[in-house]
Amino acid sequence: MIQKIKTKTLSLVIIVLFTLTACGGPGMKAPSKGLMGKKKVYIESLGQEVEIVSISENKKREMEIYKLEEGDIVNITIYGQPEVFPLMQDAGANSPYSKRVNKKGFIYFPFVGDVKAKDLTIDELREEITLKLSKDFVDPKVDINIVKFNENRNIYIVGEVVKPSAFPLGLENFSLSQAIAKVGGFNAITASASDIFVIRIGNNNEESKVYHADLSSPVQLIVANQFLLEAQDIIFVGATNLTSFNRVLSQLIPGVDLGNRRYLD
């Protein structure tokens, strides 16, 4: 279950879910007909209409080389200098050699000092630390791995799945099918395989979109395996019949009760 979602993202999730299910709510104009008869929905918080398109219309693009951001934690291992940098069995986020990129975009490492890490790739950061260590050590061997991503790297999956979750998008391509499998698949009793939505918030001058998938279709099952997710994507798995909308909100905000408002066709 999701324990924490940033306010802006959370507000948008609630508004979009209300809109997708045609429930009336503040800050939006719900479709007058069912979802499948509506190509766009207007969300006032975004000040724009959000287009609803099939996942088959998504332009496939490979993941770009990742550049470090504030909040990322990297583990730095130095080989060949055991007296100064002994190898540690714990290479996780709590290791003394794991460093968080601070608000100014820097990390601190012994014998190196403050190093700008934000907007650098892992290879670029490795080269920078190697160069600085070379002033005091002969031919230092440096290895760097990301052990924890910042929250802006998260993907959210809610609705009728076995384990609603938030998890970080890694460095490899990750598809819609993989995300559903990661949370244990659909709830066998309540999930509607024909009502899968991926909410994507626009950035870099790109428009926000809502992608629809009907995974009861063999063709779209194949497409879902090729549909690559992006950071901050929100996957919503709809319910069969008139499943309570309050259940979805309780996954996002524990304790919220909307009086068992229900989905509308």
Side-chain angles (χ1 to χ4, degrees):
M1 182 172 291
I2 298 176
Q3 299 297 326
K4 179 181 179 183
I5 297 181
K6 291 187 175 181
T7 303
K8 182 177 180 181
T9 301
L10 176 58
S11 299
L12 186 57
V13 173
I14 294 173
I15 291 173
V16 171
L17 293 187
F18 265 121
T19 307
L20 288 176
T21 54
C23 295
M28 65 176 177
K29 297 178 181 178
S32 57
K33 297 181 179 180
L35 176 64
M36 298 312 295
K38 190 75 175 180
K39 292 294 185 181
K40 291 185 178 181
V41 288
Y42 182 80
I43 302 178
E44 293 182 3
S45 63
L46 293 177
Q48 62 179 267
E49 284 187 318
V50 177
E51 187 178 8
I52 301 173
V53 298
S54 169
I55 59 170
S56 60
E57 296 183 31
N58 180 48
K59 294 180 180 179
K60 184 177 180 180
R61 53 187 180 188
E62 296 297 315
M63 187 176 295
E64 298 178 354
I65 297 177
Y66 184 69
K67 294 185 178 181
L68 294 167
E69 295 288 343
E70 174 191 338
D72 288 336
I73 299 178
V74 295
N75 180 264
I76 304 170
T77 302
I78 311 298
Y79 294 99
Q81 307 292 337
E83 298 82 4
V84 182
F85 300 106
L87 295 180
M88 307 290 291
Q89 290 185 346
D90 180 11
N94 296 322
S95 167
Y97 296 144
S98 292
K99 307 296 178 181
R100 182 188 298 271
V101 181
N102 63 28
K103 293 182 178 180
K104 294 182 179 181
F106 287 81
I107 62 171
Y108 175 83
F109 196 73
F111 293 94
V112 173
D114 291 322
V115 180
K116 180 69 177 295
K118 184 177 179 181
D119 296 329
L120 294 184
T121 66
I122 289 296
D123 287 341
E124 290 170 339
L125 180 59
R126 180 186 298 111
E127 290 174 3
E128 183 69 17
I129 291 178
T130 300
L131 179 63
K132 290 181 178 294
L133 284 175
S134 296
K135 297 177 181 179
D136 298 303
F137 301 93
V138 177
D139 193 23
K141 305 297 183 184
V142 180
D143 187 29
I144 301 178
N145 293 291
I146 301 174
V147 294
K148 187 175 182 180
F149 289 94
N150 67 85
E151 289 187 0
N152 289 329
R153 192 74 177 163
N154 279 357
I155 292 171
Y156 304 93
I157 181 163
V158 296
E160 305 305 312
V161 292
V162 175
K163 296 180 291 184
S165 305
F167 51 88
L169 182 65
L171 300 179
E172 303 295 332
N173 290 330
F174 196 73
S175 71
L176 175 58
S177 296
Q178 288 174 302
I180 293 172
K182 187 177 179 69
V183 297
F186 300 142
N187 184 309
I189 299 174
T190 63
S192 172
S194 61
D195 292 320
I196 315 300
F197 304 95
V198 179
I199 304 161
R200 179 164 295 168
I201 312 307
N203 52 48
N204 297 327
N205 298 319
E206 294 183 359
E207 293 184 350
S208 298
K209 285 188 178 181
V210 176
Y211 292 95
H212 172 253
D214 178 359
L215 298 190
S216 65
S217 162
V219 173
Q220 290 226 326
L221 274 173
I222 297 173
V223 176
N225 198 43
Q226 299 171 342
F227 183 95
L228 300 182
L229 297 173
E230 298 181 6
Q232 293 292 290
D233 276 355
I234 304 156
I235 303 165
F236 171 61
V237 177
T240 56
N241 302 321
L242 297 176
T243 302
S244 173
F245 185 60
N246 184 64
R247 184 190 305 169
V248 177
L249 286 188
S250 68
Q251 293 169 0
L252 298 171
I253 317 176
V256 168
D257 187 349
L258 297 182
N260 291 323
R261 293 188 62 171
R262 293 184 179 274
Y263 293 103
L264 302 177
D265 291 334

